[in-house]
Amino acid sequence: MNTAKSAIVTGGERGIGKAIVGLLETKGFHVSVLGLDLELAKELPPSVDFIQCDVSQFDAVEKAIDNICSKTSRLDALICNAGIADPGTKEIDFCSPEDWKRVIEVNLGGPFYCAKAATPYLRQAKGSIVNIASIRGIRSEANTFAYTASKGGLISLTHSLAASLGPSIRVNSVSPGWILTGDDYTPTPEDHSQHWSGRVGKAEDVAQMVAYLVSDKAEFITGQDFVVDGGVSKKLSYV
């Protein structure tokens, strides 16, 4: 039987998810990724198993997780990172029901489906779930209805799962703020200075929090949301 710890990361082929994958590998986890982008998946380490899967489809999620766990013989950590902002970042007159449904299905439905499929395996290992939410779940920006609602819902789903699956499974969420994820935008000095930390966040900042939460050192922590935003959401700001 494989005794190495095993983790599944959704959306692990890019950005925050990719940073989580890399850090968990250094911590001794065998990591499997559920994602959609086959081209980006080629950039993952060869030791990482990539399964193409739309997390908004429960049957596909269940099949993928069952296949992973049949090979690894255990599951210690599930990190639900896959999420989209668009379609739907539009004024309400132009935000269609289809836009709304797609974001909710991926960002909120996906973590529930993954948790449901993974629960039998996580129970056996006394493992944990970490959902990647957002400070948009507690602070709003105009015309981001579906994204904001999905992340607020994900924070609530987190403590509901913790109440329902404990004590055998711990469930927490991480809410990142402005995190650089490898896009072409270069932050200005003003961008950095508006953070109490003195800089915009990096994907590795979120990965470090996730790695701690799935470790044995966090065995007393469950049902919580951890904000990683350089202090921005605590600012009293008038424009």
Side-chain angles (χ1 to χ4, degrees):
M1 179 179 293
N2 185 2
T3 57
K5 285 191 172 184
S6 172
I8 294 174
V9 181
T10 70
E13 68 268 47
R14 71 178 78 214
I16 290 173
K18 188 175 181 180
I20 293 169
V21 169
L23 184 57
L24 290 184
E25 277 220 307
T26 69
K27 302 291 185 181
F29 282 83
H30 173 80
V31 184
S32 302
V33 170
L34 303 186
L36 290 175
D37 197 318
L38 291 172
E39 286 303 309
L40 285 179
K42 294 176 182 178
E43 300 176 9
L44 292 170
S47 53
V48 173
D49 293 326
F50 179 81
I51 300 91
Q52 192 172 35
C53 179
D54 183 344
V55 297
S56 72
Q57 304 299 313
F58 176 69
D59 289 346
V61 168
E62 185 176 46
K63 180 179 179 180
I65 291 178
D66 285 346
N67 286 340
I68 290 167
C69 293
S70 69
K71 296 175 183 178
T72 62
S73 302
R74 63 184 294 164
L75 181 60
D76 300 88
L78 168 67
I79 295 88
C80 297
N81 167 74
I84 55 174
D86 291 314
T89 307
K90 307 171 185 176
E91 294 181 4
I92 197 165
D93 304 280
F94 305 103
C95 182
S96 71
E98 289 72 27
D99 292 338
W100 169 272
K101 289 176 184 177
R102 180 58 182 162
V103 175
I104 297 296
E105 286 171 357
V106 173
N107 295 8
L108 187 54
F112 176 73
Y113 297 149
C114 289
K116 178 176 172 62
T119 287
Y121 305 105
L122 289 168
R123 278 196 182 119
Q124 292 176 10
K126 294 189 178 299
S128 67
I129 299 171
V130 178
N131 294 317
I132 305 301
S134 169
I135 61 169
R136 291 286 178 249
I138 56 175
R139 297 287 188 274
S140 286
E141 187 175 42
N143 304 321
T144 59
F145 313 104
Y147 185 79
T148 297
S150 71
K151 294 304 185 177
L154 186 54
I155 294 170
S156 295
L157 176 64
T158 294
H159 57 71
S160 178
L161 286 170
S164 305
L165 303 181
S168 58
I169 301 172
R170 295 183 300 105
V171 189
N172 294 289
S173 60
V174 177
S175 288
W178 185 350
I179 304 294
L180 297 177
T181 57
D183 57 24
D184 294 330
Y185 181 77
T186 300
T188 65
E190 184 180 8
D191 294 332
H192 289 298
S193 66
Q194 67 179 297
H195 293 76
W196 286 347
S197 60
R199 65 169 173 83
V200 175
K202 300 179 292 186
E204 291 75 14
D205 296 323
V206 182
Q208 289 288 352
M209 177 60 78
V210 171
Y212 173 72
L213 289 173
V214 301
S215 74
D216 295 339
K217 295 178 181 179
E219 65 177 10
F220 192 57
I221 300 173
T222 191
Q224 307 303 312
D225 179 59
F226 294 87
V227 175
V228 180
D229 72 347
V232 164
S233 62
K234 294 298 184 184
K235 291 176 68 175
L236 179 61
S237 179
Y238 297 99
V239 177

